[in-house]
Coordinates of all heavy atoms in Angstrom, one line a residue:
F109 N 19.6 18.9 -16.3 CA 20.6 18.2 -15.4 C 21.6 17.4 -16.3 O 22.8 17.5 -16.0 CB 19.8 17.3 -14.5 CG 20.7 16.4 -13.7 CD1 21.5 17.0 -12.7 CD2 20.7 15.1 -13.9 CE1 22.3 16.1 -11.9 CE2 21.5 14.2 -13.1 CZ 22.3 14.8 -12.1
K110 N 21.1 16.7 -17.3 CA 22.1 16.0 -18.1 C 23.0 16.9 -18.8 O 24.2 16.5 -19.0 CB 21.3 15.0 -19.0 CG 20.6 13.9 -18.2 CD 20.2 12.7 -19.0 CE 19.9 11.6 -18.0 NZ 18.9 10.6 -18.5
E111 N 22.6 18.0 -19.3 CA 23.4 19.0 -19.9 C 24.5 19.5 -18.9 O 25.7 19.6 -19.3 CB 22.5 20.2 -20.3 CG 23.0 21.0 -21.5 CD 22.0 22.1 -21.9 OE1 20.9 21.7 -22.3 OE2 22.4 23.2 -21.7
L112 N 24.1 19.7 -17.7 CA 25.1 20.1 -16.6 C 26.2 19.0 -16.5 O 27.3 19.3 -16.4 CB 24.3 20.3 -15.3 CG 25.2 20.5 -14.1 CD1 25.9 21.9 -14.2 CD2 24.3 20.5 -12.8
L113 N 25.8 17.8 -16.4 CA 26.7 16.7 -16.3 C 27.7 16.7 -17.5 O 28.9 16.5 -17.3 CB 26.0 15.3 -16.3 CG 25.3 14.9 -15.0 CD1 24.8 13.5 -15.2 CD2 26.3 14.9 -13.8
D114 N 27.2 16.9 -18.7 CA 28.0 16.9 -19.9 C 28.9 18.1 -20.0 O 30.0 18.0 -20.6 CB 27.2 16.8 -21.2 CG 26.4 15.5 -21.3 OD1 26.9 14.6 -20.6 OD2 25.5 15.4 -22.0
S115 N 28.5 19.2 -19.3 CA 29.3 20.4 -19.5 C 30.5 20.5 -18.7 O 31.4 21.3 -19.0 CB 28.4 21.6 -19.2 OG 28.1 21.6 -17.8
S116 N 30.6 19.8 -17.6 CA 31.9 19.9 -16.8 C 32.2 18.5 -16.1 O 31.4 18.0 -15.3 CB 31.6 21.0 -15.7 OG 32.4 20.7 -14.6
A117 N 33.4 18.1 -16.4 CA 33.8 16.8 -15.8 C 33.9 16.9 -14.2 O 33.5 16.0 -13.5 CB 35.1 16.4 -16.3
E118 N 34.3 18.1 -13.8 CA 34.5 18.3 -12.3 C 33.1 18.2 -11.6 O 32.9 17.6 -10.6 CB 35.1 19.6 -12.1 CG 35.7 19.7 -10.7 CD 36.4 21.1 -10.4 OE1 36.9 21.7 -11.4 OE2 36.4 21.5 -9.3
C119 N 32.2 18.9 -12.2 CA 30.8 19.0 -11.7 C 30.2 17.5 -11.7 O 29.6 17.1 -10.7 CB 30.0 19.9 -12.6 SG 28.4 20.3 -12.0
A120 N 30.4 16.8 -12.8 CA 29.8 15.5 -12.9 C 30.5 14.6 -11.9 O 29.8 13.7 -11.2 CB 30.1 14.9 -14.3
S121 N 31.8 14.8 -11.6 CA 32.4 13.9 -10.6 C 31.9 14.2 -9.2 O 31.7 13.2 -8.4 CB 33.9 14.1 -10.8 OG 34.6 14.0 -9.6
T122 N 31.6 15.5 -8.9 CA 31.1 15.8 -7.6 C 29.7 15.2 -7.4 O 29.3 14.6 -6.4 CB 30.9 17.3 -7.4 OG1 32.1 17.9 -7.7 CG2 30.4 17.7 -6.1
I123 N 28.9 15.2 -8.5 CA 27.5 14.7 -8.4 C 27.6 13.2 -8.3 O 26.9 12.6 -7.4 CB 26.7 15.1 -9.7 CG1 26.4 16.6 -9.6 CG2 25.4 14.3 -9.8 CD1 25.8 17.2 -10.9
V124 N 28.4 12.5 -9.0 CA 28.5 11.0 -9.0 C 29.0 10.6 -7.6 O 28.6 9.6 -7.0 CB 29.3 10.4 -10.1 CG1 29.6 8.9 -9.9 CG2 28.6 10.7 -11.4
H125 N 30.0 11.4 -7.1 CA 30.6 11.1 -5.7 C 29.4 11.2 -4.7 O 29.3 10.3 -3.8 CB 31.7 12.1 -5.5 CG 32.3 11.9 -4.1 ND1 33.1 10.8 -3.8 CD2 32.3 12.6 -3.0 CE1 33.5 10.8 -2.6 NE2 33.0 12.0 -2.0
T126 N 28.6 12.2 -4.7 CA 27.5 12.4 -3.8 C 26.5 11.3 -3.9 O 26.1 10.7 -2.9 CB 26.8 13.8 -4.0 OG1 27.8 14.8 -3.9 CG2 25.8 14.0 -3.0
M127 N 26.3 10.9 -5.2 CA 25.3 9.8 -5.4 C 25.8 8.5 -4.8 O 25.1 7.8 -4.1 CB 25.1 9.6 -6.9 CG 24.2 8.5 -7.2 SD 24.0 8.4 -9.0 CE 23.3 6.8 -9.2
T128 N 27.1 8.2 -4.9 CA 27.7 7.0 -4.4 C 27.5 7.0 -2.8 O 27.2 6.0 -2.2 CB 29.2 6.9 -4.8 OG1 29.2 7.1 -6.2 CG2 29.7 5.5 -4.5
Q129 N 27.9 8.2 -2.2 CA 27.7 8.3 -0.8 C 26.3 8.0 -0.3 O 26.0 7.4 0.7 CB 28.2 9.7 -0.3 CG 29.6 9.9 -0.3 CD 30.0 11.3 0.1 OE1 29.2 12.2 -0.1 NE2 31.1 11.5 0.8
R130 N 25.4 8.6 -1.1 CA 23.9 8.4 -0.7 C 23.5 7.0 -0.8 O 22.8 6.5 0.0 CB 23.1 9.4 -1.5 CG 23.2 10.8 -1.0 CD 22.4 11.8 -1.8 NE 22.6 13.1 -1.2 CZ 22.3 14.3 -1.9 NH1 21.9 14.3 -3.1 NH2 22.5 15.4 -1.2
I131 N 23.9 6.3 -1.9 CA 23.5 4.9 -2.1 C 24.1 4.1 -1.0 O 23.5 3.2 -0.4 CB 23.9 4.4 -3.5 CG1 23.0 5.1 -4.5 CG2 23.8 2.9 -3.6 CD1 23.3 4.8 -5.9
T132 N 25.4 4.4 -0.6 CA 26.0 3.6 0.5 C 25.2 3.9 1.8 O 25.0 2.9 2.6 CB 27.5 4.1 0.7 OG1 28.1 4.1 -0.6 CG2 28.2 3.3 1.7
A133 N 24.8 5.1 2.0 CA 24.1 5.4 3.3 C 22.7 4.7 3.3 O 22.3 4.1 4.3 CB 23.8 6.9 3.4
I134 N 22.1 4.6 2.1 CA 20.8 3.8 2.1 C 21.1 2.4 2.4 O 20.3 1.7 3.1 CB 20.1 4.0 0.7 CG1 19.7 5.4 0.4 CG2 18.9 3.0 0.5 CD1 19.2 5.7 -1.0
R135 N 22.2 1.8 1.8 CA 22.5 0.4 2.1 C 22.7 0.2 3.5 O 22.2 -0.8 4.1 CB 23.7 0.0 1.2 CG 23.7 -1.5 0.9 CD 24.9 -1.9 0.2 NE 26.1 -1.6 1.0 CZ 27.3 -1.4 0.4 NH1 27.5 -1.4 -0.8 NH2 28.3 -1.2 1.2
E136 N 23.5 1.1 4.2 CA 23.8 0.9 5.6 C 22.5 1.0 6.4 O 22.3 0.3 7.4 CB 24.8 2.0 6.0 CG 26.2 1.6 5.6 CD 27.2 2.7 5.8 OE1 26.8 3.8 6.2 OE2 28.4 2.5 5.4
Y137 N 21.7 2.0 6.0 CA 20.5 2.2 6.8 C 19.6 0.9 6.7 O 19.1 0.4 7.8 CB 19.7 3.3 6.2 CG 18.3 3.5 6.8 CD1 18.2 4.1 8.1 CD2 17.2 3.1 6.2 CE1 17.0 4.3 8.7 CE2 15.9 3.2 6.9 CZ 15.9 3.8 8.1 OH 14.7 3.9 8.7
T138 N 19.5 0.3 5.5 CA 18.6 -0.9 5.5 C 19.3 -2.1 6.2 O 18.6 -3.0 6.7 CB 18.3 -1.3 4.0 OG1 19.5 -1.1 3.2 CG2 17.2 -0.5 3.4
Q139 N 20.6 -2.1 6.2 CA 21.3 -3.2 7.0 C 21.1 -3.0 8.5 O 20.9 -4.0 9.2 CB 22.8 -3.2 6.7 CG 23.1 -4.1 5.5 CD 24.5 -3.9 5.0 OE1 25.3 -3.1 5.5 NE2 24.9 -4.6 4.0
D140 N 21.1 -1.8 8.9 CA 21.1 -1.5 10.4 C 19.6 -1.6 10.9 O 19.4 -1.8 12.1 CB 21.6 -0.1 10.7 CG 23.1 -0.1 10.5 OD1 23.7 -1.2 10.2 OD2 23.7 1.0 10.5
N141 N 18.7 -1.3 10.0 CA 17.3 -1.2 10.5 C 16.5 -2.5 10.0 O 16.5 -2.8 8.8 CB 16.6 0.0 10.0 CG 17.2 1.2 10.7 OD1 16.7 1.6 11.7 ND2 18.2 1.8 10.0
N142 N 15.8 -3.1 10.9 CA 15.0 -4.2 10.6 C 13.9 -3.7 9.6 O 13.1 -2.8 10.0 CB 14.3 -4.7 11.9 CG 13.5 -5.9 11.6 OD1 13.3 -6.3 10.5 ND2 12.9 -6.5 12.7
P143 N 13.8 -4.2 8.4 CA 12.8 -3.7 7.5 C 11.4 -4.1 7.9 O 10.4 -3.5 7.5 CB 13.1 -4.4 6.1 CG 13.9 -5.6 6.5 CD 14.6 -5.3 7.8
F144 N 11.3 -5.0 8.8 CA 9.9 -5.4 9.3 C 9.6 -4.7 10.6 O 10.3 -4.9 11.6 CB 9.9 -6.9 9.5 CG 10.2 -7.7 8.3 CD1 11.4 -8.4 8.2 CD2 9.3 -7.8 7.2 CE1 11.7 -9.2 7.1 CE2 9.6 -8.5 6.1 CZ 10.8 -9.2 6.0
R145 N 8.6 -3.9 10.5 CA 8.2 -3.2 11.7 C 7.4 -4.1 12.7 O 7.3 -3.8 13.9 CB 7.3 -1.9 11.4 CG 8.1 -0.8 10.8 CD 7.2 0.4 10.7 NE 6.9 1.0 12.0 CZ 6.0 1.9 12.3 NH1 5.3 2.4 11.3 NH2 5.8 2.3 13.5
V146 N 6.9 -5.2 12.1 CA 5.9 -6.0 12.9 C 6.3 -7.4 12.8 O 6.7 -7.9 11.8 CB 4.5 -5.8 12.4 CG1 3.5 -6.6 13.2 CG2 4.1 -4.4 12.3
L147 N 6.3 -8.1 14.0 CA 6.5 -9.5 14.0 C 5.2 -10.2 14.5 O 4.7 -9.8 15.6 CB 7.6 -9.9 15.0 CG 7.7 -11.4 15.3 CD1 8.3 -12.2 14.1 CD2 8.6 -11.6 16.5
I148 N 4.6 -11.1 13.7 CA 3.4 -11.8 14.2 C 3.7 -13.2 14.5 O 4.4 -13.9 13.7 CB 2.3 -11.8 13.0 CG1 2.0 -10.3 12.6 CG2 1.0 -12.4 13.5 CD1 1.2 -10.3 11.3
V149 N 3.3 -13.6 15.7 CA 3.5 -15.0 16.0 C 2.1 -15.7 16.2 O 1.3 -15.2 17.1 CB 4.3 -15.1 17.3 CG1 4.5 -16.6 17.8 CG2 5.7 -14.5 17.1
G150 N 1.9 -16.7 15.4 CA 0.6 -17.3 15.5 C 0.4 -18.3 14.4 O 1.1 -18.2 13.3
S151 N -0.6 -19.2 14.5 CA -0.8 -20.2 13.5 C -1.4 -19.6 12.3 O -2.1 -18.6 12.3 CB -1.7 -21.3 14.1 OG -2.6 -21.7 13.2
Q152 N -1.2 -20.3 11.1 CA -1.8 -19.8 9.9 C -3.3 -19.9 9.9 O -4.0 -19.3 9.2 CB -1.3 -20.5 8.7 CG -1.7 -22.0 8.5 CD -1.4 -22.5 7.1 OE1 -1.8 -21.8 6.1 NE2 -0.8 -23.6 7.0
Y153 N -3.8 -20.8 10.9 CA -5.3 -20.9 11.0 C -5.9 -20.1 12.1 O -7.1 -20.2 12.4 CB -5.6 -22.4 11.2 CG -5.2 -23.3 10.1 CD1 -4.4 -24.4 10.3 CD2 -5.6 -23.0 8.8 CE1 -4.0 -25.2 9.2 CE2 -5.2 -23.7 7.7 CZ -4.4 -24.9 7.9 OH -4.0 -25.6 6.9
D154 N -5.1 -19.2 12.7 CA -5.6 -18.3 13.7 C -6.3 -17.1 13.1 O -5.7 -16.3 12.4 CB -4.5 -17.9 14.7 CG -5.0 -17.1 15.8 OD1 -5.5 -15.9 15.6 OD2 -5.1 -17.6 16.9
G155 N -7.6 -17.0 13.3 CA -8.4 -16.0 12.6 C -7.9 -14.5 12.9 O -7.8 -13.7 12.1
E156 N -7.6 -14.3 14.2 CA -7.1 -12.9 14.6 C -5.8 -12.6 13.9 O -5.6 -11.5 13.4 CB -7.0 -12.8 16.1 CG -8.3 -12.8 16.8 CD -8.1 -12.6 18.4 OE1 -7.0 -12.6 18.9 OE2 -9.2 -12.6 19.1
C157 N -4.9 -13.6 13.9 CA -3.6 -13.4 13.2 C -3.8 -13.1 11.7 O -3.2 -12.2 11.1 CB -2.7 -14.6 13.3 SG -1.9 -14.7 14.9
R158 N -4.7 -13.8 11.2 CA -5.0 -13.7 9.7 C -5.5 -12.2 9.5 O -5.1 -11.6 8.5 CB -6.0 -14.7 9.3 CG -6.2 -14.7 7.8 CD -7.3 -15.6 7.3 NE -7.6 -15.0 6.0 CZ -6.9 -15.1 4.9 NH1 -5.9 -15.9 4.9 NH2 -7.3 -14.5 3.8
N159 N -6.4 -11.8 10.3 CA -6.9 -10.4 10.2 C -5.8 -9.4 10.2 O -5.8 -8.4 9.5 CB -7.9 -10.1 11.3 CG -9.2 -10.7 11.0 OD1 -9.5 -11.2 9.9 ND2 -10.1 -10.7 12.0
I160 N -4.9 -9.6 11.2 CA -3.8 -8.6 11.3 C -2.9 -8.7 10.1 O -2.4 -7.6 9.6 CB -2.9 -9.0 12.6 CG1 -3.7 -9.0 13.9 CG2 -1.7 -8.0 12.7 CD1 -4.3 -7.7 14.3
R161 N -2.6 -9.9 9.6 CA -1.8 -10.0 8.4 C -2.4 -9.3 7.2 O -1.8 -8.6 6.5 CB -1.5 -11.5 8.1 CG -0.5 -12.1 9.1 CD 0.0 -13.4 8.6 NE -1.0 -14.5 8.7 CZ -1.3 -15.3 7.7 NH1 -0.7 -15.2 6.5 NH2 -2.3 -16.2 7.8
T162 N -3.7 -9.5 7.1 CA -4.5 -8.9 6.0 C -4.4 -7.4 6.1 O -4.1 -6.6 5.2 CB -6.0 -9.3 6.0 OG1 -6.0 -10.7 6.0 CG2 -6.7 -8.8 4.8
F163 N -4.6 -6.9 7.4 CA -4.6 -5.5 7.6 C -3.2 -4.9 7.3 O -3.1 -3.8 6.6 CB -4.9 -5.3 9.1 CG -4.8 -3.8 9.6 CD1 -5.7 -2.9 9.2 CD2 -3.7 -3.5 10.4 CE1 -5.5 -1.6 9.6 CE2 -3.5 -2.2 10.8 CZ -4.4 -1.2 10.4
L164 N -2.2 -5.5 7.7 CA -0.8 -5.0 7.4 C -0.5 -5.0 5.9 O 0.0 -4.0 5.4 CB 0.2 -5.8 8.2 CG 0.2 -5.7 9.7 CD1 1.1 -6.7 10.4 CD2 0.5 -4.3 10.2
S165 N -0.9 -6.1 5.3 CA -0.7 -6.1 3.8 C -1.4 -5.0 3.1 O -0.9 -4.3 2.3 CB -1.2 -7.4 3.2 OG -0.5 -8.5 3.7
L166 N -2.7 -4.8 3.5 CA -3.5 -3.7 2.9 C -2.9 -2.4 3.2 O -3.0 -1.5 2.3 CB -4.9 -3.8 3.4 CG -5.7 -5.0 2.9 CD1 -7.1 -5.0 3.5 CD2 -5.8 -5.1 1.4
N167 N -2.3 -2.2 4.3 CA -1.7 -0.9 4.7 C -0.2 -0.8 4.2 O 0.5 0.1 4.5 CB -1.7 -0.7 6.2 CG -3.0 -0.1 6.6 OD1 -3.4 1.0 6.3 ND2 -3.8 -0.9 7.3
R168 N 0.2 -1.9 3.5 CA 1.6 -1.9 3.0 C 2.7 -1.7 4.0 O 3.6 -1.0 3.9 CB 1.8 -0.9 1.9 CG 0.8 -1.1 0.7 CD 0.6 0.1 -0.1 NE -0.3 1.0 0.6 CZ -1.6 0.9 0.7 NH1 -2.2 0.0 0.1 NH2 -2.3 1.8 1.4
I169 N 2.4 -2.4 5.2 CA 3.4 -2.4 6.3 C 4.1 -3.7 6.3 O 3.5 -4.8 6.5 CB 2.7 -2.1 7.6 CG1 2.1 -0.7 7.6 CG2 3.6 -2.2 8.8 CD1 1.2 -0.4 8.7
P170 N 5.5 -3.7 6.1 CA 6.2 -4.9 6.1 C 6.1 -5.7 7.4 O 6.3 -5.0 8.5 CB 7.6 -4.5 5.7 CG 7.7 -3.1 5.8 CD 6.3 -2.5 5.9

Side-chain angles (χ1 to χ4, degrees):
F109 172 70
K110 291 203 166 151
E111 208 176 292
L112 172 68
L113 284 183
D114 291 342
S115 66
S116 154
E118 196 179 334
C119 188
S121 148
T122 307
I123 288 171
V124 170
H125 179 68
T126 305
M127 175 178 167
T128 312
Q129 283 178 329
R130 286 178 176 160
I131 289 177
T132 308
I134 294 172
R135 205 184 60 208
E136 283 169 0
Y137 175 78
T138 42
Q139 270 168 359
D140 293 349
N141 289 275
N142 181 358
F144 302 109
R145 286 191 68 192
V146 182
L147 169 74
I148 304 170
V149 176
S151 139
Q152 71 163 312
Y153 297 128
D154 186 287
E156 287 182 0
C157 282
R158 189 188 155 77
N159 282 347
I160 304 293
R161 287 192 288 128
T162 307
F163 171 72
L164 294 172
S165 294
L166 293 178
N167 276 293
R168 298 156 289 280
I169 295 171

